[in-house]
């Protein structure tokens, strides 16, 4: 069993096998220290936030203040069909702003999808971008806005801090309470050719203004409410147990965790509960603030592989994996999980850290069960596990500041627990 000071050693190459282990450890520590140092100097970009009922309509007034007369509205066909964007279109037009709708976003948008939206932006000479939707629409819109002002394709922006110029004026209205993409410095784009997901990381991706409108989330189906809510919980918890956690990210992560634990099941069972919807919207936002600085961990490393391989919705994949990773990491983060348990009213400070930590993990299991999230993934095939584990280890090797590292066999063991019966 590897301890928290050792990097995983499961990915071996002929060259790597000849390097002494202490050199690998030193290299790992240097990379992590450098990453943390770089993140310390990354501009602390945050959007102006409008919240409460009707804030999605009020956002059009904010957009008008920027002097724009034509804006690309990035969304998906389902939201158009449901009429969700109609009040937003009406409000934009009332402010003298011409909206150009690009509704080609699909779950886990690809580079081709983003480039299609970019083409619409350029053809209509739009002056800004408004994202309306879940994480997929917001991520696509972020990359469109960044590419639009940098004369780049979407794929040319893959990586960290690639763009030289700022993004075009960017605004966001999340329709789900989960991803926190309206506040993060990253966008995830799928690459079908490589069979994985690529990251665009840059503070320039953060929208100027975001509207957290509970009314726009009232029609969200229970299953999506559950999956996106567990996504927000995963962001908060992984940020809190990260070795990059700070007092600032801790404050956001604890607040987000408390809000999700207290309100998600209410929003799931009573989708018309405005107070619960608003609390979830703010919880997801705070979770986004937490993990954009503290990062995520193995839950995401594994969940991303499910999304790439089986097109599993990201929040659903996170919900499946989260309790397993918390159980795996428990002996290294019992104190942190114990704090979350107390903050969420799951136990008393007089109880041992181990007991409180387990109570928090059990609460995650219970929430999944109460909201109909199964314990296994129907699409998962035993024959796929070796490749999935390898991919997860590549993603989670030294890039994620996890509190406890796992090796390839341990990752495979967790995946096997998710096999359908």
């Amino acid at each position: 069993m590897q301890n928290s000071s050792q990097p995983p050693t499961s990915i071996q190459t002929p060259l790597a096998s000849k390097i002494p282990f202490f050199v690998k450890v030193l290299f790992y520590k240097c990379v992590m220290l450098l990453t943390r140092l770089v993140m310390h100097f990354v501009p602390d970009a945050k959007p102006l936030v409008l919240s409460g009922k009707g804030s999605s309509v009020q956002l059009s007034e904010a957009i008008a203040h920027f002097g724009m007369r034509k804006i690309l509205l990035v969304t998906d066909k389902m939201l158009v069909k449901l009429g969700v964007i109609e009040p937003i279109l009406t409000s934009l037009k009332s402010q003298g702003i011409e909206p150009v709708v690009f509704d080609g976003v699909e779950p886990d948008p690809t580079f081709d999808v983003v480039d299609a939206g970019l083409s619409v932006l350029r053809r209509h000479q739009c002056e800004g971008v408004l994202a309306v939707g879940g994480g997929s629409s917001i991520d696509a819109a972020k990359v469109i806005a960044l590419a639009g002002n940098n004369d780049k394709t979407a794929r040319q922006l893959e990586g960290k801090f690639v763009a030289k110029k700022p993004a075009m004026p960017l605004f966001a209205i999340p329709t789900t309470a989960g991803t926190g993409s309206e506040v993060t410095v990253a966008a995830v784009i799928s690459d079908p050719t490589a069979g994985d997901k690529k990251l665009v990381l840059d503070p320039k991706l953060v929208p100027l203004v975001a509207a957290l409108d509970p009314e726009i989330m009232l029609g969200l189906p229970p299953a999506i409410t559950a999956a996106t809510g567990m996504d927000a919980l995963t962001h908060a918890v992984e940020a809190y147990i990260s070795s990059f956690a700070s007092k600032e990210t801790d404050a956001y992560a604890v607040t987000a965790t408390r809000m999700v634990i207290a309100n998600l099941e209410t929003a799931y069972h009573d989708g018309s509960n405005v107070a619960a919807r608003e609390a979830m919207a703010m919880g997801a936002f705070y979770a986004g603030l937490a993990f954009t600085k503290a990062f995520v961990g193995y839950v995401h490393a594994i969940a991303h592989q499910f999304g790439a391989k089986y097109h599993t919705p990201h929040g659903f994949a996170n919900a499946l994996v989260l309790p397993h990773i918390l159980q795996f990491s428990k002996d290294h983060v019992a104190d942190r999980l114990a704090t979350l348990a107390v903050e969420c009213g799951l136990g008393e400070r007089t109880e041992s850290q181990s007991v409180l930590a387990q109570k928090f993990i059990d609460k995650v299991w219970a929430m999944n069960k109460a909201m109909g999230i199964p314990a296994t993934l129907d699409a998962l095939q035993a024959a796929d596990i070796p490749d999935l584990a390898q991919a997860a280890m590549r993603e989670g090797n030294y890039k994620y500041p996890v509190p406890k590292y796992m090796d390839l066999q341990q990752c495979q063991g967790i995946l096997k627990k998710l096999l359908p019966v």
Side-chain angles (χ1 to χ4, degrees):
M1 180 80 66
Q2 298 180 52
N3 61 42
S4 60
S5 66
Q6 296 175 326
T9 58
S10 56
I11 306 301
Q12 295 291 341
T13 64
L15 177 60
S17 63
K18 298 177 182 178
I19 300 175
F21 181 70
F22 78 89
V23 175
K24 298 176 190 176
V25 173
L26 181 61
F27 172 75
Y28 160 77
K29 288 181 178 293
C30 289
V31 169
M32 293 298 288
L33 181 62
L34 180 61
T35 301
R36 190 165 193 174
L37 184 64
V38 169
M39 290 305 297
H40 178 76
F41 290 101
V42 169
D44 192 15
K46 294 185 180 73
L48 171 67
V49 177
L50 307 175
S51 64
K53 294 189 292 184
S55 58
S56 58
V57 174
Q58 294 170 8
L59 180 60
S60 61
E61 298 176 10
I63 295 173
H65 292 324
F66 284 86
M68 278 175 284
R69 289 295 171 260
K70 185 179 289 189
I71 193 166
L72 180 71
L73 193 153
V74 179
T75 188
D76 62 65
K77 288 181 172 56
M78 182 55 68
L79 290 182
V80 173
K81 181 179 179 181
L82 293 174
V84 171
I85 69 168
E86 281 303 320
I88 300 169
L89 295 176
T90 300
S91 182
L92 287 169
K93 292 173 184 176
S94 73
Q95 296 292 327
I97 303 168
E98 179 187 348
V100 177
V101 178
F102 171 67
D103 63 359
V105 178
E106 301 171 350
D108 300 317
T110 64
F111 286 109
D112 287 344
V113 167
V114 176
D115 282 336
L118 184 60
S119 176
V120 175
L121 174 96
R122 289 169 172 161
R123 186 167 65 251
H124 289 272
Q125 299 181 321
C126 296
E127 300 163 286
V129 180
L130 169 61
V132 181
S136 294
S137 291
I138 298 176
D139 277 5
K142 288 159 78 169
V143 180
I144 289 171
L146 190 60
N149 203 40
N150 280 273
D151 195 26
K152 300 281 188 181
T153 64
R155 190 177 289 277
Q156 288 173 332
L157 291 173
E158 178 194 338
K160 301 175 182 178
F161 318 119
V162 175
K164 291 181 172 58
K165 298 179 182 179
M168 300 179 72
L170 173 65
F171 310 87
I173 302 174
T175 58
T176 62
T179 68
S181 185
E182 69 275 7
V183 71
T184 64
V185 298
V188 179
I189 307 298
S190 293
D191 185 350
T193 303
D196 59 9
K197 296 188 177 184
K198 306 297 186 182
L199 186 70
V200 179
L201 181 70
D202 199 307
K204 303 180 187 73
L205 290 171
V206 177
L208 296 172
V209 187
L212 308 180
D213 191 341
E215 285 188 317
I216 209 169
M217 303 178 186
L218 295 181
L220 205 62
I224 297 179
T225 298
T228 54
M230 293 304 291
D231 190 19
L233 182 63
T234 300
H235 293 156
V237 174
E238 287 207 292
Y240 191 62
I241 65 176
S242 164
S243 60
F244 277 10
S246 64
K247 289 184 179 179
E248 179 189 8
T249 62
D250 281 356
Y252 289 133
V254 171
T255 301
T257 302
R258 191 165 49 229
M259 295 179 81
V260 174
I261 293 287
N263 293 280
L264 177 53
E265 290 182 68
T266 300
Y268 172 81
H269 291 292
D270 180 11
S272 62
N273 189 312
V274 176
R277 291 292 192 188
E278 186 167 6
M280 284 302 303
M282 290 304 303
F285 178 77
Y286 290 140
L289 288 173
F291 90 85
T292 201
K293 278 292 187 72
F295 291 1
V296 289
Y298 279 136
V299 180
H300 278 73
I302 295 174
H304 284 159
Q305 313 320 314
F306 290 161
K309 179 72 174 178
Y310 307 118
H311 303 292
T312 306
H314 180 64
F316 177 73
N318 276 344
L320 287 174
V321 180
L322 178 59
H324 291 284
I325 296 301
L326 293 183
Q327 199 71 60
F328 169 80
S329 306
K330 178 186 171 185
D331 57 339
H332 281 64
V333 292
D335 58 333
R336 306 289 276 177
L337 295 181
T339 298
L340 291 179
V342 173
E343 289 289 339
C344 295
L346 304 176
E348 303 294 333
R349 295 186 187 277
T350 54
E351 298 176 89
S352 71
Q353 289 184 345
S354 179
V355 168
L356 287 169
Q358 193 59 52
K359 284 187 174 182
F360 185 81
I361 296 170
D362 290 344
K363 176 62 176 178
V364 176
W365 281 114
M367 290 176 69
N368 277 348
K369 184 175 182 180
M371 296 185 293
I373 297 174
T376 59
L377 179 62
D378 286 344
L380 181 59
Q381 302 291 319
D384 295 336
I385 286 179
D387 288 342
L388 290 170
Q390 284 278 1
M393 289 293 91
R394 280 195 297 271
E395 176 174 332
N397 189 5
Y398 63 85
K399 299 175 185 177
Y400 287 161
V402 294
K404 176 185 177 181
Y405 285 97
M406 67 172 64
D407 59 30
L408 185 62
Q409 288 69 36
Q410 289 167 330
C411 186
Q412 289 180 347
I414 288 174
L415 289 169
K416 288 176 182 176
K417 294 177 181 177
L418 298 174
L419 281 169
V421 178

